[in-house]
Amino acid sequence: MATKKRKVDDECRIFNKEWREKYFFGETNDQKASCLISNESVAVVKEYNIRHHYEAKHLSTHSKYSGKLRSEKFESMKRSLESQRNFFTKKFVENESIIRVRCKIVNKLAERGKPFTDGNFIKECMMEAVNDLCPEKANMFGCISLSASSVVRRIEKLGENTQLQIHEKAKKFLWYSLAMDKSSDLSRVSQLLVFICGVKCNFEIIEEMAPVCSIHGTTT
């Protein structure tokens, strides 16, 4: 007779509040138990695993705490860990915001056909405004990299992403047509513009500019 494989989720293992001061453990958002001393996690929330971790690594140094002193030590470590997590969470959010702002500025430069070196000028203007209006944010704004090389890399990534989206859309076309035109950039180099127009099975019409090719020879 086949036996049903036991799953941890079926055993309803729930973190016991008594383990907090007893083993200096706390709960995590992903339903695991985390040691407040070493910040290590126990995958399976089971008292044997938590007790084994505590006795093997921390019993010799933390068995001296008892009663009210143990409770105060637990609360102190809990506050310290929460402070560290909040700090890293704040840094992560700030980094996300910095990357998002940089992408928006680079996108504006590309849309207006501005020189890549204008990024440095834009940053200088931002820093002047920040230092006067909200100097406490100066370090955060200073992390926004808008050097010419950084702008080039970001525009290349935006171009690759746009091209990838066009390829994915084109795979779903039932019918399509191509149109070509000629333009010139600021250095008077001729550019071949290729536009694609396609129709999907739901009769949705999509028009996009596909590649832009530089033509250094004749354009006849």
Side-chain angles (χ1 to χ4, degrees):
M1 181 178 178
T3 58
K4 183 179 179 182
K5 187 177 180 180
R6 187 177 67 177
K7 294 183 179 180
V8 174
D9 294 341
D10 296 335
E11 297 180 2
C12 299
R13 292 175 181 171
I14 302 174
F15 185 86
N16 192 328
K17 295 181 179 181
E18 294 180 356
W19 301 341
R20 294 176 177 176
E21 296 182 12
K22 190 175 181 180
Y23 305 117
F24 292 106
F25 262 78
E27 304 167 82
T28 62
N29 295 331
D30 52 358
Q31 297 181 344
K32 294 181 181 180
S34 176
C35 177
L36 299 180
I37 305 171
S38 62
N39 202 22
E40 297 179 50
S41 296
V42 175
V44 180
V45 183
K46 187 177 180 181
E47 184 173 13
Y48 171 80
N49 296 335
I50 295 175
R51 183 176 67 248
H52 176 74
H53 173 91
Y54 172 75
E55 292 178 349
K57 298 186 177 183
H58 309 301
L59 180 63
S60 59
T61 56
H62 287 73
S63 59
K64 59 183 178 181
Y65 299 105
S66 60
K68 184 179 179 181
L69 186 62
R70 194 174 184 86
S71 299
E72 292 176 350
K73 184 66 176 177
F74 169 79
E75 292 297 331
S76 175
M77 288 190 294
K78 182 182 176 182
R79 288 192 300 269
S80 176
L81 183 60
E82 288 177 349
S83 177
Q84 292 179 20
R85 289 175 176 172
N86 291 336
F87 173 79
F88 286 114
T89 300
K90 181 182 178 181
K91 282 295 181 183
F92 177 78
V93 173
E94 286 182 355
N95 290 337
E96 288 260 307
S97 300
I98 289 171
I99 293 173
R100 186 165 55 250
V101 169
R102 183 174 60 188
C103 288
K104 289 181 177 180
I105 294 174
V106 170
N107 191 45
K108 290 295 182 182
L109 287 172
E111 285 179 352
R112 302 294 178 88
K114 296 296 183 180
F116 298 150
T117 52
D118 280 5
N120 289 324
F121 174 69
I122 292 174
K123 184 171 181 179
E124 289 178 10
C125 295
M126 285 196 308
M127 295 308 298
E128 289 290 340
V130 168
N131 288 329
D132 282 344
L133 298 177
C134 47
E136 71 279 0
K137 297 285 186 178
N139 290 335
M140 185 176 177
F141 277 81
C143 293
I144 302 175
S145 178
L146 292 174
S147 64
S149 58
S150 179
V151 172
V152 169
R153 288 194 302 269
R154 186 58 55 183
I155 288 179
E156 288 176 347
K157 288 186 177 295
L158 290 173
E160 291 171 1
N161 181 263
T162 301
Q163 194 173 40
L164 180 62
Q165 291 184 48
I166 294 174
H167 286 173
E168 292 299 319
K169 291 178 181 178
K171 290 178 182 179
K172 301 177 182 179
F173 289 164
L174 293 181
W175 303 278
Y176 70 92
S177 64
L178 298 176
M180 290 177 285
D181 197 2
K182 189 195 78 166
S183 181
S184 298
D185 59 17
L186 296 176
S187 59
R188 297 186 178 279
V189 176
S190 296
Q191 304 289 337
L192 174 65
L193 311 178
V194 181
F195 299 87
I196 183 170
C197 179
V199 182
K200 297 168 66 174
C201 59
N202 60 353
F203 295 103
E204 179 185 357
I205 300 175
I206 297 175
E207 294 181 346
E208 296 284 355
M209 185 176 72
V212 178
C213 308
S214 299
I215 304 176
H216 297 281
T218 60
T219 59
T220 304

